[in-house]
Amino acid sequence: MSDPKKKSLDTLAVHGGEPRRHPYAALAAPIVQTATFTFSSTAELLSFLQGELPDAEEYGRYGNPSVRLVEEKIASLEAVDDGLAFGSGMAAVTTSILALVKSGSHVILFRDCYRRTRQFVRDVLGRFGVTHSIVESVSEMESALRAETRLVICEAPTNPFQRVVDLARVAEICRAKRVKTLVDSTFATPINLRPADLGIDLVVHSATKYLAGHNDVLGGVVCGSRGLVSLIRDLRHCIGGIMDPHAAYLVHRGIKTLAIRVARQNESALALARFLEADDRIKVVHYPGLPSHSSYEVASRLMSGFGGVVTFEVNASQEETSRFVDACKIPRIGPSLGGVESLIEQPALMSYYGMPREEREALGMVGGLVRYAVGIEDAQELIADTEAALARLR
Ligand SMILES: *Cc1c(COP(=O)(O)O)cnc(C)c1O
């Protein structure tokens, strides 16, 4: 028998972090479209300032009830104390990192990660005297730890090669050295992976992707312990990257269907990955749900699903691969992932277009590489569409 007090992720996605009734007994969450909040008297203001009115707000850059609902829902799904919502995933990533480092700190970053996160750590933090090491594995991470190391940053699964490092090991090693850990869990979602359960301190998501899920809004969240979240909140007050109330409404509404969307995307992506792997026009498929993937064992142990993104390399030139991409009728060509619509792209022509060829290829972004972000369309139709497009290759 399941513990009736312990709700499943399906139920938490719908109800988690919400009051039994919203104002006016509305079932849907209200959009509190205001920049400022008022007090009925100086006495009320003083009680607020003394922390006696925890649900009250003062000014929109510090907090908003619509935004608060997103923060409480993500905290409930990740099973942590508290969360914070931002205007974009990168606002969440950068504000969280900045809150934890100072001049002289050292940061460790796993190589396969979101390009802008790498750019921020390398180029921006570098200007303020924060040093970093880029590592490929947990053992390299362990050797890179120094007395000044404050933070280890990784993604699970990584973009686009979908590697999954053993987060439990990362957390264990870092805890022993009092180094904080931050995982960008955008690709996994709390439905497939809960990094905090494995001992990770902070979990970040680009809410633009699976959480909101409809390719119609930008957002980001971070969540973790009360103490760490409060440090980041103080910095968000200064930097000002809070989520907008309208965006918060869309993200909150999106999360209601997160569990069923992700379950569907897990299933369809696995079917597509298996189909591609069996096709001899495909050189390699990077999907952690395939036994051939280097992270299959770790991913099977840590994750309850393998996600909706399938990366693969077509056995063809960049130009021929573009012909295949153009011949796919269902997915649209575009960056991003995690929405209801399938999207397809060649990383060499999208996120990495501006990078010199040798540098790009050293990162594995070769011309034949394709990232397919599966939506919620019918899986058999997605596969038939892919098969027809592959037939256009010589
Ligand atoms: C998209 C993405 C981001 C950035 O999020 P935005 O909402 O676009 O700012 C960060 N990390 C990962 C893994 C992403 O996919």
Side-chain angles (χ1 to χ4, degrees):
M1 275 292 273
S2 63
D3 176 354
K5 280 201 252 62
K6 217 170 157 203
K7 296 285 187 294
S8 71
L9 286 161
D10 303 73
T11 305
L12 285 175
V14 180
H15 296 294
E18 284 191 63
R20 184 116 187 105
R21 282 193 352 164
H22 289 297
Y24 309 110
L27 177 59
I31 304 173
V32 184
Q33 186 62 50
T34 187
T36 192
F37 299 83
T38 60
F39 298 90
S40 62
S41 65
T42 303
E44 193 184 65
L45 169 63
L46 288 171
S47 340
F48 169 76
L49 293 172
Q50 280 150 26
E52 287 156 16
L53 302 172
D55 293 332
E57 302 287 357
E58 179 190 351
Y59 183 62
R61 180 161 27 80
Y62 305 146
N64 172 292
S66 302
V67 176
R68 197 68 204 129
L69 285 171
V70 170
E71 297 174 340
E72 285 176 359
K73 195 177 283 291
I74 191 67
S76 86
L77 285 165
E78 295 283 7
V80 292
D81 295 345
D82 206 354
L84 289 170
F86 292 82
S88 71
M90 281 317 295
V93 169
T94 56
T95 309
S96 304
I97 296 174
L98 277 175
L100 297 175
V101 298
K102 58 179 194 233
S103 174
S105 300
H106 173 248
V107 169
I108 298 177
L109 181 67
F110 278 79
R111 181 181 304 279
D112 196 14
C113 73
Y114 194 68
R115 186 172 66 103
R116 300 291 180 189
T117 302
R118 194 185 314 122
Q119 182 186 357
F120 178 72
V121 169
R122 194 182 54 197
D123 303 344
V124 182
L125 290 184
R127 289 200 269 123
F128 298 97
V130 176
T131 57
H132 70 278
S133 304
I134 293 184
V135 301
E136 299 256 14
S137 64
V138 178
S139 58
E140 273 185 29
M141 176 207 85
E142 199 166 8
S143 338
L145 285 166
R146 306 183 199 154
E148 319 80 69
T149 309
R150 288 282 293 143
L151 178 66
V152 168
I153 304 164
C154 64
E155 282 174 26
T158 61
N159 176 31
F161 297 109
Q162 316 243 38
R163 297 190 186 112
V164 183
V165 293
D166 189 340
L167 298 178
R169 273 293 288 150
V170 169
E172 184 182 274
I173 295 165
C174 292
R175 291 231 153 158
K177 304 254 180 193
R178 297 167 177 270
V179 171
K180 297 288 179 244
T181 48
L182 181 151
V183 168
D184 180 336
S185 196
T186 299
F187 272 53
T189 83
I191 307 305
N192 288 336
L193 176 73
R194 290 211 301 190
D197 286 354
L198 304 169
I200 296 296
D201 296 306
L202 288 168
V203 181
V204 176
H205 292 275
S206 165
T208 313
K209 314 296 168 52
Y210 292 97
L211 298 187
H214 291 72
N215 291 318
D216 57 2
V217 63
L218 288 171
V221 294
V222 61
C223 58
S225 71
R226 208 163 298 289
L228 284 178
V229 167
S230 137
L231 269 180
I232 303 167
R233 182 184 289 113
D234 281 348
L235 189 61
R236 187 184 68 176
H237 288 359
C238 292
I239 294 187
I242 193 171
M243 185 178 274
D244 166 85
H246 266 269
Y249 171 80
L250 289 171
V251 172
H252 187 259
R253 184 168 84 156
I255 298 175
K256 299 238 171 193
T257 56
L258 179 70
I260 54 166
R261 281 188 284 107
V262 170
R264 166 77 162 225
Q265 284 161 307
N266 285 341
E267 228 174 86
S268 302
L270 182 60
L272 179 66
R274 285 180 176 151
F275 161 77
L276 289 166
E277 190 169 51
D279 192 296
D280 56 16
R281 287 161 294 198
I282 304 298
K283 206 184 256 181
V284 57
V285 182
H286 304 278
Y287 188 71
L290 295 177
S292 58
H293 192 280
S294 60
S295 297
Y296 177 70
E297 183 276 321
V298 175
S300 306
R301 189 154 41 84
L302 304 187
M303 301 178 74
S304 42
F306 301 107
V309 176
V310 183
T311 306
F312 54 96
E313 193 182 333
V314 179
N315 214 340
S317 68
Q318 181 168 306
E319 293 68 28
E320 284 173 310
T321 304
S322 297
R323 232 175 296 137
F324 156 73
V325 167
D326 290 345
C328 289
K329 295 261 180 344
I330 300 177
R332 308 296 159 88
I333 301 172
S336 205
L337 59 125
V340 293
E341 297 94 354
S342 289
L343 290 168
I344 194 165
E345 61 156 296
Q346 284 171 273
L349 291 176
M350 196 69 74
S351 309
Y352 289 85
Y353 184 70
M355 193 182 270
R357 194 192 182 106
E358 299 83 74
E359 201 181 325
R360 164 159 44 88
E361 292 192 345
L363 289 169
M365 308 302 162
V366 295
L369 195 71
V370 176
R371 191 182 78 178
Y372 196 128
V374 174
I376 62 165
E377 302 93 339
D378 180 85
Q380 288 320 309
E381 287 173 14
L382 293 178
I383 290 171
D385 179 51
T386 308
E387 191 166 22
L390 281 172
R392 304 283 287 275
L393 289 170
R394 271 178 295 126

